[in-house]
């Protein structure tokens, strides 16, 4: 009985956070019960789940002979209208704008500049955001200097997106016998960008080859002949910003070859855009890599990650952690992932 009550509370809380009316929530709850849906919250956003549940209702009504009753017809009409609304105007499309919508139990990833990334959960959401005392993700020390510090908070909202916001730690104390922090609310939530390959500024001499040149070997094979001299000005595992003499062209297929320490790197791909400086007759090529050996990609990633500023590194790690939250990973998985970067 207690579990059923908590399930219903969770259902209505999710519906409220997502902008549903009580009438809509009652309709969806009834649909979930009749169709025996284990977690009825999926019916707030998942069209396949809604379709399957409605099909179950139709099947049950047909088998019991109630499919033509006015009451059944009215219920089905409401379900079809609801399904159309979800398809045309998803309730979670606009996301949330302030922290008052955060639910108890929400997992948070907190970046405290110069100290690292910490994990916490929302325990209470009223005048302040009461969170469990943050635990370090990667480092083994604990930081006690939280009060009045500015932190960046990242979290993944189920069925929606990743978010981030900056806030201040208003105080520390205890809640239900546990040490906690009190975060100030924020009305400036931003959807965090999906984790992308990080890019770092650099100055690396390289050789550039046109893939259209018949003398060029395969996109993966190192070249033995010298190519067009160029300078890599920033680098990531999936692209680079390259400076060359002369005027480049969008859509060029190119291959670049260079050294990272003692490792030779070969990357092939396409020039997506150019910046041409007529005065000095030089171009900056925005290069997207389509072909690179997996070992070389890993070497590039390790190089980039080792030289980017700590602040950028922590932001990248935090985003990767909330993406892991989306997939249901554990904190042990989080540490393993970060150690591999």
């Amino acid at each position: 009985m207690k579990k059923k009550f908590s399930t219903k509370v969770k259902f209505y809380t999710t519906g409220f956070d997502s902008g549903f009316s009580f009438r809509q929530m009652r309709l969806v709850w009834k649909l979930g019960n009749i169709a025996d849906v284990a977690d009825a919250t999926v019916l707030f956003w998942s069209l396949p789940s809604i379709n399957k549940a409605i099909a179950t209702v139709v099947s049950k009504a047909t088998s019991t002979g109630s499919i033509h009753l006015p009451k059944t017809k009215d219920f089905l009409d409401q379900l079809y209208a609801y399904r159309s609304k979800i398809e045309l105007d998803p309730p979670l499309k606009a996301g949330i704008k302030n922290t008052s919508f955060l639910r108890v139990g929400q997992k948070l990833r907190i970046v405290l500049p110069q100290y690292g990334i910490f994990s916490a959960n929302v325990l209470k959401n009223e005048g302040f955001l009461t969170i469990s005392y943050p635990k370090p993700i990667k480092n083994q020390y604990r930081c006690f200097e939280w009060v009045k510090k500015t932190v960046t908070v990242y979290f993944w909202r189920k069925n929606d997106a990743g978010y981030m916001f900056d806030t201040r730690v208003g105080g520390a104390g205890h809640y239900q016998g546990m040490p906690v922090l009190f975060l100030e609310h924020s009305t400036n939530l931003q959807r965090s960008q999906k984790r992308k390959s990080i890019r770092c500024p650099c100055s690396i001499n390289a050789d550039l080859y046109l893939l259209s040149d018949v003398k060029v070997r395969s996109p993966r094979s190192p070249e033995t002949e010298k190519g067009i001299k160029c300078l890599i000005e920033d680098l990531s595992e999936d692209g680079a910003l390259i400076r060359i003499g002369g005027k480049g062209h969008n859509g060029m297929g190119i291959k670049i070859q260079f050294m990272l320490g003692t490792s030779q790197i070969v990357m092939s791909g396409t020039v997506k855009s150019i910046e041409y400086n007529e005065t000095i007759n030089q171009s900056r090529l925005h290069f997207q890599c389509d072909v690179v050996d997996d070992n070389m990609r890993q070497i590039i990633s390790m190089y980039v990650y080792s030289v980017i500023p700590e602040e950028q590194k922590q932001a990248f790690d935090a985003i990767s952690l909330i993406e892991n939250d989306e997939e249901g990973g554990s904190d042990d998985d989080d540490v393993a992932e970060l150690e591999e970067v």
Side-chain angles (χ1 to χ4, degrees):
M1 182 66 71
K2 183 178 180 181
K3 182 178 179 182
K4 184 176 180 181
F5 177 76
S6 63
T7 300
K8 196 167 186 178
V9 169
K10 176 188 173 185
F11 171 83
Y12 276 95
T13 302
T14 301
F16 174 75
D17 287 352
S18 305
F20 286 91
S21 67
F22 280 109
R23 181 180 178 184
Q24 290 170 327
M25 286 187 280
R26 286 195 294 269
L27 175 71
V28 176
W29 181 258
K30 183 177 179 180
L31 171 62
N33 278 337
I34 295 175
D36 297 320
V37 178
D39 181 5
T41 60
V42 301
L43 301 177
F44 286 134
W45 60 275
S46 172
L47 280 175
S49 297
I50 295 170
N51 290 338
K52 185 178 179 180
I54 292 176
T56 301
V57 171
V58 171
S59 176
K60 286 187 175 182
T62 301
S63 65
T64 58
S66 61
I67 189 70
H68 299 298
L69 294 178
K71 185 176 180 180
T72 303
K73 184 178 182 301
D74 179 61
F75 180 51
L76 289 174
D77 285 344
Q78 292 180 57
L79 294 179
Y80 295 138
Y82 171 76
R83 186 210 174 281
S84 297
K85 178 186 182 304
I86 297 303
E87 181 174 19
L88 298 174
D89 185 25
L92 291 171
K93 180 173 61 179
I96 58 176
K97 300 299 182 184
N98 64 73
T99 52
S100 64
F101 286 97
L102 290 183
R103 298 201 308 270
V104 171
Q106 174 69 59
K107 180 182 283 189
L108 307 176
R109 306 299 188 169
I110 302 169
V111 174
L112 180 63
Q114 300 179 347
Y115 288 93
I117 306 173
F118 298 76
S119 180
N121 293 83
V122 176
L123 300 178
K124 186 179 180 182
N125 189 345
E126 292 184 357
F128 282 90
L129 203 59
T130 303
I131 67 169
S132 58
Y133 197 89
K135 298 179 180 178
I137 291 293
K138 192 174 180 181
N139 304 308
Q140 298 305 310
Y141 59 79
R142 295 191 67 179
C143 172
F144 297 93
E145 301 298 325
W146 286 96
V147 179
K148 297 184 180 179
K149 290 292 195 336
T150 296
V151 296
T152 302
V153 180
Y154 296 81
F155 65 92
W156 183 268
R157 187 171 181 242
K158 186 179 178 182
N159 307 332
D160 186 3
Y163 288 87
M164 61 173 288
F165 63 95
D166 293 326
T167 188
R168 198 172 76 104
V169 181
H174 288 81
Y175 175 72
Q176 295 182 344
M178 295 181 291
V180 298
L181 297 181
F182 304 109
L183 303 185
E184 295 178 355
H185 279 290
S186 173
T187 57
N188 186 29
L189 269 62
Q190 301 174 30
R191 289 198 178 203
S192 63
Q193 297 298 312
K194 276 284 189 180
R195 174 176 46 162
K196 298 177 181 177
S197 57
I198 44 180
R199 188 172 289 234
C200 73
C202 59
S203 182
I204 301 173
N205 292 314
D207 287 294
L208 182 148
Y209 307 86
L210 299 178
L211 291 176
S212 59
D213 190 337
V214 294
K215 296 180 181 179
V216 172
R217 293 192 266 179
S218 74
R220 294 182 182 273
S221 301
E223 299 294 332
T224 56
E225 302 293 329
K226 294 292 184 181
I228 302 168
K229 294 300 178 184
C230 63
L231 181 70
I232 300 174
E233 295 189 336
D234 74 31
L235 178 67
S236 73
E237 65 182 56
D238 61 5
L241 180 63
I242 306 167
R243 184 183 292 275
I244 64 167
K247 187 172 184 178
H249 299 281
N250 289 340
M252 289 194 309
I254 65 172
K255 174 180 179 179
I256 55 174
Q257 188 168 298
F258 55 97
M259 299 295 294
L260 281 183
T262 59
S263 300
Q264 186 177 60
I265 305 296
V266 178
M267 303 173 75
S268 295
T270 308
V271 175
K272 289 300 182 180
S273 64
I274 65 166
E275 303 169 28
Y276 177 60
N277 187 323
E278 188 173 2
T279 304
I280 59 175
N281 190 31
Q282 287 187 353
S283 297
R284 301 174 83 198
L285 310 179
H286 294 266
F287 164 69
Q288 178 179 301
C289 176
D290 301 318
V291 178
V292 62
D293 180 83
D294 286 341
N295 289 333
M296 294 182 185
R297 187 188 298 276
Q298 187 174 22
I299 292 169
I300 296 169
S301 295
M302 289 190 294
Y303 169 80
V304 171
Y305 194 82
S306 68
V307 299
I308 62 171
E310 188 65 24
E311 183 178 334
Q312 185 181 349
K313 189 182 298 184
Q314 290 176 348
F316 179 82
D317 286 348
I319 290 173
S320 78
L321 287 175
I322 66 170
E323 288 181 8
N324 191 54
D325 293 341
E326 174 194 9
E327 298 165 0
S330 68
D331 280 351
D332 289 340
D333 297 332
D334 300 340
V335 175
E337 179 178 348
L338 292 183
E339 293 293 350
E340 289 172 0
V341 175

